[in-house]
Amino acid sequence: RAAEWQLDQPAWSGRLRITAKGSTAFIKLEDKTSGELFAQAPVEQFPGIAVEGVTDSSRYFVIRIEDGNGRRAFIGVGFVDRGDAFDFNVALQDHFKWVRQQNELARQAQDLEQGPKLDLGFKEGQTIKLNIANMKKKEGGTGSTRPRPAGPGGLSLLPPPPGGKSGSGEHPALLSTPPQLPGTPITDSLLSWPQPTAAPAADVWGDFAKASG
């Protein structure tokens, strides 16, 4: 119990630091001005006998200090600020949480090394079969849907022949190119025939009679 200590007259006051070497944490009590080491307590497990909290306060602890020659002593340590006492607890908890994680990773790595290893390589004469029928079918389907380029055939008009009008006053009109038959070569010649103007049908036959005469 911290109430049994002489809290108003501490035997020593200074700063407290926590360092770590490997899996062991060290609580170091140092002079707050020069940094000279007053005492240190190695902590190999937390919670444990090296650090214990008192029953009547959250700001006071009992730590086990060692001098390196096998001599040990238990002393009481207290913090003026409650936040510092909280940080003291959290620092020790974080360190040993990290130690447990490292031990777990090492154990898993050891289990993997000792376990049976899978041989995924090909044996001599071993083959593998790939089914690419669907791939070919897909390529063929997409190729058949491509649009074909348009052929050279189509409608075209030529300018009117020289001479302007015919003797009978009819205006010649151009006809479109006849559709190309299979095997028939395309030529540049187009057929034209004089078309009658807007005249009665009897005049058209009369013109044909004059042409035959």
Side-chain angles (χ1 to χ4, degrees), residues 25-190:
F26 293 89
I27 302 174
K28 295 186 176 183
L29 304 178
E30 300 174 344
D31 186 274
K32 58 183 177 180
T33 303
S34 63
E36 182 183 357
L37 181 64
F38 172 74
Q40 69 175 1
V43 183
E44 298 179 354
Q45 184 180 358
F46 182 79
I49 193 173
V51 181
E52 293 182 282
V54 299
T55 59
D56 59 343
S57 175
S58 62
R59 296 186 294 115
Y60 290 86
F61 304 86
V62 176
I63 65 174
R64 186 182 62 184
I65 60 175
E66 299 181 7
D67 63 355
N69 296 323
R71 293 185 301 177
R72 299 175 178 177
F74 291 92
I75 63 173
V77 176
F79 295 90
V80 177
D81 186 81
R82 195 176 303 275
D84 293 335
F86 176 80
D87 292 341
F88 173 76
N89 261 317
V90 170
L92 291 174
Q93 291 174 2
D94 288 348
H95 170 73
F96 287 99
K97 180 180 179 181
W98 173 82
V99 171
R100 288 191 297 270
Q101 291 176 348
Q102 295 300 315
N103 293 337
E104 181 66 20
L105 292 176
R107 186 186 63 80
Q108 293 178 0
Q110 185 177 5
D111 293 343
L112 290 177
E113 292 178 357
Q114 295 177 355
K117 297 182 179 180
L118 297 178
D119 185 7
L120 303 179
F122 283 98
K123 305 298 186 297
E124 183 178 359
Q126 187 178 4
T127 60
I128 185 171
K129 183 179 180 181
L130 298 177
N131 186 6
I132 58 175
N134 295 332
M135 184 183 301
K136 291 183 177 180
K137 183 178 180 181
K138 182 177 179 182
E139 292 178 354
T142 55
S144 60
T145 59
R146 295 180 179 177
R148 291 184 175 182
L155 299 180
S156 62
L157 297 178
L158 292 178
K165 300 180 180 180
S166 62
S168 60
E170 293 131 357
H171 297 277
L174 299 178
L175 299 179
S176 61
T177 304
Q180 179 186 359
L181 298 178
T184 304
I186 299 174
T187 62
D188 294 335
S189 62
L190 295 176

